[in-house]
Amino acid sequence: MSANPRIADYAIHEQFIQRWSPRAFTGEAISEETLLGFLEAARWAPSAYNSQPWRFLYARRDTPNWERYLGLLNEFNRSWAQHASALVIVISKTTFTAPGASEETPALWHEFDTGSAWGHLALQASISGWHTHGMAGFDQELTRKELKIPEGYDLHAVVAIGKLGDKATLAEYLQAREVPSPRRPLNELAAEGDFTL
Ligand SMILES: Cc1cc2nc3c(=O)[nH]c(=O)nc-3n(C[C@H](O)[C@H](O)[C@H](O)COP(=O)(O)O)c2cc1C
């Protein structure tokens, strides 16, 4: 790992290394227009057969859904995400109708495709001066029940969205983690030809 955790080894758009996931948020409101802009970016992600399996449920702070959504997070995530501006639940549809078919069959790539949509969301938010933080730490069963998510849809993550806050507002052990993280070198992740990783 390089000394500066965010130096790209190859030429890429700076936005890729500028995006990172903080936990200190300002707790300011976000307009629905702004939030829908991030989801719009997600909408344009690629997917197998253009099946677009991603689905999003959201709550903005200071709205009736906010406390309900916060209650779905585990205690650790709630401790900092309560200062975010919005929470987005990332869901995918597990079946699709293939071209020419009349019945739905398993969508083998729904997770892969939905991951790419969340990536779009995160990058668009970052480009727009906001930050996102994905969370696996939430109660899937409770979320499904509470938000009436039917069978045939998988739940993946909750994304906190907000403006970057002062890390002094976080518990001390979290302040130390409030920095952009490094990445493994590319040669540990990609190989030409046979699998040598
Ligand atoms: C699917 C997913 C689940 C995550 N779950 C949590 C979580 O529950 N709590 C948390 O604090 N961070 C969580 N993270 C944040 C990751 O730890 C973070 O994205 C990773 O360390 C890379 O850092 P970066 O996003 O700043 O580049 C999650 C990220 C993703 C993509």
Side-chain angles (χ1 to χ4, degrees), residues 24 165-171 174-176 178-179:
D166 183 351
K167 71 176 181 182
T169 59
L170 295 172
L174 284 180
Q175 291 182 24
E178 197 70 350
V179 284

PDB file of all heavy atoms in Angstrom, residues 24 165-171 174-176 178-179:
ATOM      1  N   ALA A  24     -18.840  11.296   9.735  1.00  0.00           N
ATOM      2  CA  ALA A  24     -19.239  12.591  10.320  1.00  0.00           C
ATOM      3  C   ALA A  24     -20.046  13.369   9.282  1.00  0.00           C
ATOM      4  O   ALA A  24     -19.533  13.721   8.211  1.00  0.00           O
ATOM      5  CB  ALA A  24     -18.001  13.385  10.715  1.00  0.00           C
ATOM      6  N   GLY A 165     -19.199  16.347   7.772  1.00  0.00           N
ATOM      7  CA  GLY A 165     -19.215  17.091   9.025  1.00  0.00           C
ATOM      8  C   GLY A 165     -17.847  17.099   9.691  1.00  0.00           C
ATOM      9  O   GLY A 165     -16.870  16.560   9.159  1.00  0.00           O
ATOM     10  N   ASP A 166     -17.815  17.687  10.871  1.00  0.00           N
ATOM     11  CA  ASP A 166     -16.578  17.794  11.654  1.00  0.00           C
ATOM     12  C   ASP A 166     -16.335  16.469  12.376  1.00  0.00           C
ATOM     13  O   ASP A 166     -17.199  15.992  13.119  1.00  0.00           O
ATOM     14  CB  ASP A 166     -16.762  18.935  12.673  1.00  0.00           C
ATOM     15  CG  ASP A 166     -15.517  19.188  13.479  1.00  0.00           C
ATOM     16  OD1 ASP A 166     -14.556  18.380  13.379  1.00  0.00           O
ATOM     17  OD2 ASP A 166     -15.503  20.185  14.220  1.00  0.00           O
ATOM     18  N   LYS A 167     -15.151  15.894  12.172  1.00  0.00           N
ATOM     19  CA  LYS A 167     -14.927  14.573  12.773  1.00  0.00           C
ATOM     20  C   LYS A 167     -14.855  14.642  14.302  1.00  0.00           C
ATOM     21  O   LYS A 167     -14.996  13.617  14.978  1.00  0.00           O
ATOM     22  CB  LYS A 167     -13.683  13.909  12.192  1.00  0.00           C
ATOM     23  CG  LYS A 167     -12.359  14.494  12.582  1.00  0.00           C
ATOM     24  CD  LYS A 167     -11.257  13.638  11.995  1.00  0.00           C
ATOM     25  CE  LYS A 167      -9.906  14.206  12.407  1.00  0.00           C
ATOM     26  NZ  LYS A 167      -8.790  13.472  11.836  1.00  0.00           N
ATOM     27  N   ALA A 168     -14.702  15.856  14.829  1.00  0.00           N
ATOM     28  CA  ALA A 168     -14.696  16.012  16.302  1.00  0.00           C
ATOM     29  C   ALA A 168     -16.043  15.620  16.917  1.00  0.00           C
ATOM     30  O   ALA A 168     -16.136  15.383  18.121  1.00  0.00           O
ATOM     31  CB  ALA A 168     -14.351  17.451  16.664  1.00  0.00           C
ATOM     32  N   THR A 169     -17.077  15.553  16.086  1.00  0.00           N
ATOM     33  CA  THR A 169     -18.403  15.157  16.587  1.00  0.00           C
ATOM     34  C   THR A 169     -18.490  13.644  16.806  1.00  0.00           C
ATOM     35  O   THR A 169     -19.448  13.155  17.398  1.00  0.00           O
ATOM     36  CB  THR A 169     -19.511  15.563  15.594  1.00  0.00           C
ATOM     37  OG1 THR A 169     -19.250  14.921  14.334  1.00  0.00           O
ATOM     38  CG2 THR A 169     -19.567  17.069  15.377  1.00  0.00           C
ATOM     39  N   LEU A 170     -17.496  12.904  16.320  1.00  0.00           N
ATOM     40  CA  LEU A 170     -17.521  11.437  16.437  1.00  0.00           C
ATOM     41  C   LEU A 170     -16.803  10.977  17.694  1.00  0.00           C
ATOM     42  O   LEU A 170     -15.942  11.693  18.231  1.00  0.00           O
ATOM     43  CB  LEU A 170     -16.817  10.806  15.234  1.00  0.00           C
ATOM     44  CG  LEU A 170     -17.447  10.999  13.861  1.00  0.00           C
ATOM     45  CD1 LEU A 170     -16.500  10.476  12.779  1.00  0.00           C
ATOM     46  CD2 LEU A 170     -18.803  10.309  13.777  1.00  0.00           C
ATOM     47  N   ALA A 171     -17.117   9.779  18.128  1.00  0.00           N
ATOM     48  CA  ALA A 171     -16.372   9.157  19.226  1.00  0.00           C
ATOM     49  C   ALA A 171     -14.899   9.074  18.807  1.00  0.00           C
ATOM     50  O   ALA A 171     -14.596   8.952  17.615  1.00  0.00           O
ATOM     51  CB  ALA A 171     -16.928   7.774  19.495  1.00  0.00           C
ATOM     52  N   LEU A 174     -13.591   6.529  16.377  1.00  0.00           N
ATOM     53  CA  LEU A 174     -14.059   6.719  14.999  1.00  0.00           C
ATOM     54  C   LEU A 174     -13.335   7.878  14.313  1.00  0.00           C
ATOM     55  O   LEU A 174     -13.168   7.878  13.097  1.00  0.00           O
ATOM     56  CB  LEU A 174     -15.572   6.963  14.986  1.00  0.00           C
ATOM     57  CG  LEU A 174     -16.443   5.740  15.209  1.00  0.00           C
ATOM     58  CD1 LEU A 174     -17.911   6.111  15.163  1.00  0.00           C
ATOM     59  CD2 LEU A 174     -16.127   4.647  14.188  1.00  0.00           C
ATOM     60  N   GLN A 175     -12.906   8.838  15.098  1.00  0.00           N
ATOM     61  CA  GLN A 175     -12.170   9.972  14.510  1.00  0.00           C
ATOM     62  C   GLN A 175     -10.921   9.460  13.792  1.00  0.00           C
ATOM     63  O   GLN A 175     -10.570   9.937  12.720  1.00  0.00           O
ATOM     64  CB  GLN A 175     -11.770  10.966  15.597  1.00  0.00           C
ATOM     65  CG  GLN A 175     -12.947  11.709  16.197  1.00  0.00           C
ATOM     66  CD  GLN A 175     -12.523  12.729  17.238  1.00  0.00           C
ATOM     67  OE1 GLN A 175     -11.399  13.217  17.237  1.00  0.00           O
ATOM     68  NE2 GLN A 175     -13.438  13.056  18.139  1.00  0.00           N
ATOM     69  N   ALA A 176     -10.264   8.480  14.379  1.00  0.00           N
ATOM     70  CA  ALA A 176      -9.033   7.939  13.791  1.00  0.00           C
ATOM     71  C   ALA A 176      -9.306   7.251  12.453  1.00  0.00           C
ATOM     72  O   ALA A 176      -8.422   7.149  11.605  1.00  0.00           O
ATOM     73  CB  ALA A 176      -8.410   6.952  14.770  1.00  0.00           C
ATOM     74  N   GLU A 178     -11.561   8.271  10.327  1.00  0.00           N
ATOM     75  CA  GLU A 178     -12.239   9.230   9.443  1.00  0.00           C
ATOM     76  C   GLU A 178     -11.291   9.777   8.369  1.00  0.00           C
ATOM     77  O   GLU A 178     -11.068  10.988   8.259  1.00  0.00           O
ATOM     78  CB  GLU A 178     -12.842  10.351  10.306  1.00  0.00           C
ATOM     79  CG  GLU A 178     -13.897  11.205   9.617  1.00  0.00           C
ATOM     80  CD  GLU A 178     -15.217  10.481   9.348  1.00  0.00           C
ATOM     81  OE1 GLU A 178     -15.303   9.262   9.507  1.00  0.00           O
ATOM     82  OE2 GLU A 178     -16.169  11.169   8.952  1.00  0.00           O
ATOM     83  N   VAL A 179     -10.695   8.867   7.615  1.00  0.00           N
ATOM     84  CA  VAL A 179      -9.785   9.267   6.519  1.00  0.00           C
ATOM     85  C   VAL A 179     -10.046   8.366   5.315  1.00  0.00           C
ATOM     86  O   VAL A 179     -10.434   7.202   5.485  1.00  0.00           O
ATOM     87  CB  VAL A 179      -8.292   9.110   6.916  1.00  0.00           C
ATOM     88  CG1 VAL A 179      -7.840  10.215   7.830  1.00  0.00           C
ATOM     89  CG2 VAL A 179      -8.023   7.739   7.527  1.00  0.00           C
TER      90      VAL A 179
END
